[in-house]
Structures are given as structure tokens and as C-alpha cells.
Amino acid sequence: MAGLLSLQVNSANAKDAAPRVVWAKAGVTFEQYHDDALACGMNGLASNIDSTKEVKTLVRASQQLEGIDASAQASMDTAVGPTGQPDPVSGAENRAIQQQGIIAAARPDKQYAGIKETMFQVVRRCMIDRGYTRIVLTENQRKDYDGIKGGADARRAYIHGLASDPHVLETQREAVGR
């Protein structure tokens, strides 16, 4: 979640591309900016997603897949082939087709995106409640970010400098409704 808040945690060898939008609050200290991002990110991670339709869809699909596996175990792959003899390959093919159908119907990528959005809503609400708003970085700011040497700490400091500047906040505030 901290990456979401533009306080990206990067591995020693990785470098993220410049964010398009970051959270901003005029005059916020670097420490407070970091602490608020971390606290809100943790709130997002702690979101109760158990009762969401996305989780219910994934649970149902998982149960259906387990049912196929249990059914296959019980039948011990004894599908009958064209010769009238047991044909374990045919049984495996049928299971694979059933599994693919369940996975396709569940649309896991869509479900994960919905879960992620639920968590991000918690983060957004938290940041707004703490007085932050979002700003859109200019192309030049993004290029400057991409050119920063010195690792994640230097990139965080650059973003904080922009995000805490009242003039940047005033002139680059994200349009409402995004």
C-alpha cells in the first residue's frame, strides 16, 4: 500500500516509473507524510474483504475446483475410452475442461481488481480524512523523478518536496471525479 501512496518501497535493484498522481498536503513534514502513508496503507491492508462479492466468487470457484478434484479421486480416473477399457487420460481431459470453465466463469483477475479497489477506497478515505488531496505530476516532474539517482529514499524525498509545496498543491490538484 505504501507504493500506492507514492512512498514506494523498492528493492535495491528495482526502480519504479514515476507515478502519475500522488497524495499531497501543504507543509507536511517528511516524517508525517511517511507515517500517514504507512498508517493509511496498513488500514487498507486490514480491510475486511471477507463479505465482498469478489471474495465470495473466488471462494465458490475454489470449492467447485475442490469438488472436481474430490470427484476425480473417488472415481480413480476410470473414464471409459473408445475400447471400453478405463481411460485415465479422458478423465483427466474432462477434469481439465471443467476446471478451465470454472476459472473462466470466476474471472479471477476481475475479482482481484475488485478486492484491490475495495482496499484502495479505505486508503483514499484515510488520506482524505488526514487532510490530503491528490495532485497530478507534470511530464517534467515525472522525467525528473525517473532521472533521480540515489535510490528509493531520494525518489521519496523528491515526491515529498512536490507533495508538500502549497503552490504545487494549488496548481496541480487532481480534477474531482477521478
Side-chain angles (χ1 to χ4, degrees):
M1 284 297 159
L4 159 76
L5 303 173
S6 300
L7 295 177
Q8 293 116 352
V9 178
N10 300 313
S11 71
N13 298 325
K15 181 176 176 191
D16 292 333
R20 190 184 74 75
V21 178
V22 298
W23 289 103
K25 182 177 178 180
V28 68
T29 66
F30 182 81
E31 292 76 21
Q32 190 63 52
Y33 189 69
H34 175 270
D35 292 349
D36 288 343
L38 184 60
C40 290
M42 295 303 287
N43 286 347
L45 288 173
S47 300
N48 182 359
I49 59 170
D50 294 344
S51 62
T52 64
K53 66 180 169 104
E54 293 86 2
V55 169
K56 289 178 181 178
T57 297
L58 292 172
V59 167
R60 188 171 38 258
S62 179
Q63 291 168 340
Q64 290 172 334
L65 291 170
E66 288 172 5
I68 290 172
D69 290 341
S71 166
Q73 188 67 23
S75 69
M76 299 295 288
D77 293 334
T78 56
V80 177
T83 63
Q85 298 297 317
D87 185 359
V89 174
S90 176
E93 288 173 0
N94 287 337
R95 277 194 315 285
I97 291 168
Q98 289 176 318
Q99 289 169 338
Q100 289 173 354
I102 290 168
I103 292 167
R107 300 180 59 198
D109 290 347
K110 178 183 177 198
Q111 306 316 319
Y112 294 136
I115 292 167
K116 182 177 172 182
E117 180 59 29
T118 297
M119 295 167 80
F120 285 172
Q121 286 175 10
V122 171
V123 172
R124 284 183 196 112
R125 175 57 32 214
C126 180
M127 293 299 283
I128 290 168
D129 288 349
R130 290 172 184 247
Y132 289 83
T133 190
R134 290 167 31 121
I135 60 170
V136 179
L137 299 184
T138 66
E139 194 59 38
N140 284 340
Q141 289 165 339
R142 295 182 78 214
K143 285 179 185 174
D144 289 347
Y145 176 95
D146 287 338
I148 291 174
K149 305 279 188 253
D153 289 339
R155 290 188 294 279
R156 284 188 201 106
Y158 176 74
I159 291 297
H160 169 260
L162 296 172
S164 62
D165 183 329
H167 176 71
V168 172
L169 179 61
E170 183 63 33
T171 59
Q172 294 177 222
R173 186 179 306 263
E174 183 181 45
V176 178
R178 284 192 167 167

